[in-house]
Amino acid sequence: MKKARYIRQSTKNQTNLRQLAKAHPDETLYIDIISGSIPFAERPEGKKLIEAIEFGEIDYLSFHSIDRCGRNTINVLQTLQYFYDKGVVVKIDNLGLESMINGKANPVFNLITTILSELSSLEKTSLLERQKEGIMAARLRNPFLYKGRHEGTMDSVEVTLSKHKRTVKALKTNPTLSLRQIAKLSTESDYKVSANTVKKVKELLDNPKFA
């Protein structure tokens, strides 16, 4: 039997990775550092695992829990069905269940994984809704303090300006220079900035709502 184990983590922990390798010496490890919302087949290690299955290199696959496979019910069930179609036995450790018994589908496994996949999906949806409610409540309490993310950025306004203090200073002290000149003036060995980034920072500073 050719065993493998799939592991998904949200953050990279080198110590944890070494411990996992020692704990599962008879299994090939596939470890993704990625959000659970990304479909299994689109994850870097998920893709490698599927390729190995296609080449007949794996016939037994372990997950610690079903949410490591994904947080979207349909995607999880499609992924499990793919493993079954390829003759790969899937084991969910925290359930103590395998997808097949004597080469046949385990109905208990199918029932429980379907329920747990749906619960995981609902939990993710509920979490996102709570985040939205929290943001709305913060805005209602203090609309000037909570500015959220400015369109076109991945960080909040406060974080963006904090990251680019040198650019902010250069823009304020040299308002007549071009974006490229500001970028060149701001760039140092430990800080590099592009003209596009300077433009975004300038837009924040020029907008009274975010200044």
Side-chain angles (χ1 to χ4, degrees), residues 92-146:
I92 307 298
D93 289 349
N94 68 343
L95 299 177
L97 290 174
E98 294 184 352
S99 60
M100 287 188 272
I101 300 175
N102 296 325
K104 295 183 179 180
N106 180 353
V108 176
F109 177 93
N110 292 339
L111 175 62
I112 293 179
T113 52
T114 299
I115 293 172
L116 291 179
S117 296
E118 182 64 22
L119 290 175
S120 179
S121 181
L122 289 172
E123 180 185 8
K124 180 66 175 179
T125 301
S126 177
L127 175 61
L128 292 175
E129 291 190 358
R130 288 199 299 273
Q131 288 176 340
K132 289 180 181 178
E133 290 170 356
I135 291 172
M136 186 176 294
R139 283 175 174 163
L140 290 173
R141 287 196 301 271
N142 194 330
F144 298 104
L145 177 62
Y146 188 89

Side-chain angles (χ1 to χ4, degrees), residues 179-206:
L179 298 178
R180 290 184 180 277
Q181 289 173 322
I182 292 293
K184 186 175 181 180
L185 181 64
S186 304
T187 297
E188 293 185 15
S189 59
D190 61 339
Y191 174 76
K192 294 183 179 180
V193 63
S194 66
N196 285 336
T197 300
V198 173
K199 181 181 178 182
K200 291 179 181 178
V201 173
K202 187 175 186 301
E203 288 174 352
L204 291 177
L205 294 175
D206 290 345

Side-chain angles (χ1 to χ4, degrees), residues 7 23 42 65 70 72 92 108 132 142 158 163 184 195:
I7 298 163
E42 295 178 16
S65 57
N72 177 281
I92 307 298
V108 176
K132 289 180 181 178
N142 194 330
E158 293 84 353
K163 280 183 177 179
K184 186 175 181 180

